[in-house]
Amino acid sequence: MIPYSCQTIDDDDIAAVTDALQSSRLTQGPIVHEFEQAIAAYTESNYAVAVSSATAALHIACLALELGPNDWLWTSGMSFSASANCGLYCGAKVDFVDIDIASGNLSIGALESKLAKAKQAGCLPKIVVVVHYAGQSCDMKAVALLSKQYGFKIIEDSAQAFGGYYAKKKVGGCQFSDMAVFSFHPTKTITTAEGGVITCNDRILYDRLNCFKSHGLVFSEAMQSQEGGWYRDQAMLGFNYRMSELHAALGLSQISKCDQFIEARHLRALRYNELFKDVPQLSPLEISKYSKSAWHLYVLLLDESLPSHSRRALYEFMHQNGIGTQVHYIPIFKHSFFQQKGIEADDFPNTMSFYQRCLSIPLYPTLSSDQQTLVVDTIKAFFDEQVTRASA
Ligand SMILES: *Cc1c(COP(=O)(O)O)cnc(C)c1O
């Protein structure tokens, strides 16, 4: 079976984790700190806070921006539920913005018109979570302009975009956002098995994030000289969202190979683009001029003119032929939990159309040339069979 995604783990990674396991601290030690510094340096941000997952990262990013009941959080429906759940964890209300079909990213036009309407209705969002779909950055300058005009905060859900670029700068530098969140789940560009990080440039946000990730505890020399060396104060309601030393050791070992991983993904994506040129039934995602994708996913869009069951038939055909594919994503608002909140799928026609036609095919650094040829030939065989059947 060729999976749609696969982590790359080598002997250096294994040695790094083994060393961490033999060190005196398994958590709250120096490796997490070193990993955070490496992330900040890599993304050219001032600060990085490592946590147990991107989901945890999104949660405390919202808390750091003081999202609460009566506030609105907006995000793209074409994402993993975590992009929206973070708002609900804070008791806020959640709504969605339609996407551009060509890229799968949030549509700036849809955002702009939704903001204009929300302003009139007096329900502007406090936070917009911008998702960088498949590893390609959204048009952040445009989002930042709208944030100035309408006064919302921006969290980049860059879970899929670690190592990607926007306007010639690494995603995560937060030039056009308040914070950026990354995931190190094994399907993402680098992995810590489970893990995530938030980058930002603001010291106050950084302090709050650190506080929320570890039970809301704060301490200072002044406090300790008055009360005693043991003294810490729980200043707010926090969580245990810490990353362990073992996970950070894996991340630190992986980050040194990140650019290599992305280059390998990029080359494979270019080859797919080339090989699919003569397959009129599908198209790859459009890559914008302003971004360099981290190539988390290689997504195909089936042509609108194909019968509606085609995507499912292709998915099953690939599976029968030993090739894993996946649908990214079931629109968040389509899940029963969100349907109960009365969100209408009809309000997001592009997200629905994209969902009905998208399929992610295998893409990872160790995908061999032969495997890739097999993936493409299998897809071509599927369409040949369809055409033969249709004309019979
Ligand atoms: C993977 C992913 C997440 C969640 O990441 P975890 O680290 O698994 O919590 C959130 N948002 C998007 C867009 C993702 O792709």
Side-chain angles (χ1 to χ4, degrees), residues 291-345:
S291 75
K292 233 171 100 183
S293 180
W295 290 108
H296 165 58
L297 298 171
Y298 190 89
V299 181
L300 289 174
L301 274 191
L302 302 203
D303 198 79
E304 263 175 311
S305 63
L306 294 171
S308 62
H309 65 266
S310 304
R311 197 269 311 276
R312 179 164 176 183
L314 176 58
Y315 171 89
E316 284 166 4
F317 185 83
M318 298 301 280
H319 194 84
Q320 282 154 15
N321 284 282
I323 296 168
T325 62
Q326 188 54 282
V327 171
H328 295 98
Y329 286 92
I330 302 161
I332 300 175
F333 50 76
K334 212 179 162 293
H335 290 285
S336 60
F337 177 76
F338 288 90
Q339 282 296 295
Q340 286 156 18
K341 298 183 180 301
I343 295 162
E344 297 283 342

Side-chain angles (χ1 to χ4, degrees), residues 40-332:
Y42 185 81
T43 57
E44 295 179 48
S45 62
N46 291 350
Y47 306 106
V49 179
V51 289
S52 50
S53 68
T55 304
L58 285 163
H59 182 193
I60 61 174
C62 288
L63 288 174
L65 292 172
E66 300 178 283
L67 186 74
N70 302 320
D71 292 329
W72 282 96
L73 175 144
W74 291 2
T75 189
S76 160
M78 187 42 62
S79 183
F80 186 61
S81 305
S83 308
N85 289 346
C86 54
L88 300 175
Y89 296 154
C90 301
K93 291 167 282 189
V94 165
D95 201 357
F96 299 91
V97 180
D98 209 4
I99 59 164
D100 279 328
I101 289 200
S103 67
N105 273 332
L106 183 145
S107 152
I108 300 299
L111 177 62
E112 193 165 8
S113 63
K114 196 175 173 100
L115 285 165
K117 278 188 209 142
K119 188 175 181 183
Q120 286 197 324
C123 55
L124 282 168
K126 181 159 188 171
I127 296 175
V128 175
V129 174
V130 181
V131 180
H132 300 324
Y133 181 80
Q136 175 176 211
S137 176
C138 200
D139 185 357
M140 292 308 298
K141 279 184 197 167
V143 179
L145 269 176
L146 290 170
S147 95
K148 288 213 175 71
Q149 193 180 341
Y150 290 98
F152 58 85
K153 303 285 185 187
I154 305 170
I155 298 173
E156 294 176 76
D157 182 345
S158 28
Q160 311 185 351
F162 191 74
Y165 285 81
Y166 172 73
K168 301 208 163 67
K169 294 230 174 211
K170 280 257 171 58
V171 173
C174 300
Q175 208 188 340
F176 303 103
S177 68
D178 295 281
M179 282 173 275
V181 162
F182 296 99
S183 171
F184 303 124
H185 182 272
T187 56
K188 309 295 160 77
T189 35
I190 63 165
T191 188
T192 61
E194 292 281 5
V197 72
I198 308 124
T199 58
C200 68
N201 295 323
D202 183 300
R203 178 76 208 198
I204 293 170
L205 290 177
Y206 173 69
D207 288 341
R208 280 191 202 150
L209 292 169
N210 274 317
C211 194
F212 280 122
K213 93 168 191 188
S214 197
H215 306 287
L217 291 169
V218 292
F219 54 93
S220 65
E221 269 175 32
M223 218 185 259
Q224 292 188 340
S225 71
Q226 197 182 333
E227 299 281 341
W230 66 85
Y231 201 77
R232 303 178 298 172
D233 179 45
Q234 186 188 326
M236 48 179 139
L237 185 63
F239 307 87
N240 179 354
Y241 281 168
R242 293 186 304 257
M243 176 182 275
S244 83
E245 293 283 281
L246 309 190
H247 295 86
L250 179 54
L252 203 49
S253 173
Q254 288 257 307
I255 200 173
S256 61
K257 290 167 279 197
C258 186
D259 291 342
Q260 212 177 301
F261 289 165
I262 292 171
E263 185 54 21
R265 285 172 176 273
H266 187 200
L267 290 174
R268 284 156 183 76
L270 291 179
R271 178 148 184 260
Y272 271 142
N273 288 350
E274 206 47 48
L275 294 172
F276 285 128
K277 268 194 180 145
D278 60 346
V279 186
Q281 293 92 340
L282 46 83
S283 51
L285 291 187
E286 211 165 79
I287 297 300
S288 60
K289 292 185 296 291
Y290 52 73
S291 75
K292 233 171 100 183
S293 180
W295 290 108
H296 165 58
L297 298 171
Y298 190 89
V299 181
L300 289 174
L301 274 191
L302 302 203
D303 198 79
E304 263 175 311
S305 63
L306 294 171
S308 62
H309 65 266
S310 304
R311 197 269 311 276
R312 179 164 176 183
L314 176 58
Y315 171 89
E316 284 166 4
F317 185 83
M318 298 301 280
H319 194 84
Q320 282 154 15
N321 284 282
I323 296 168
T325 62
Q326 188 54 282
V327 171
H328 295 98
Y329 286 92
I330 302 161
I332 300 175

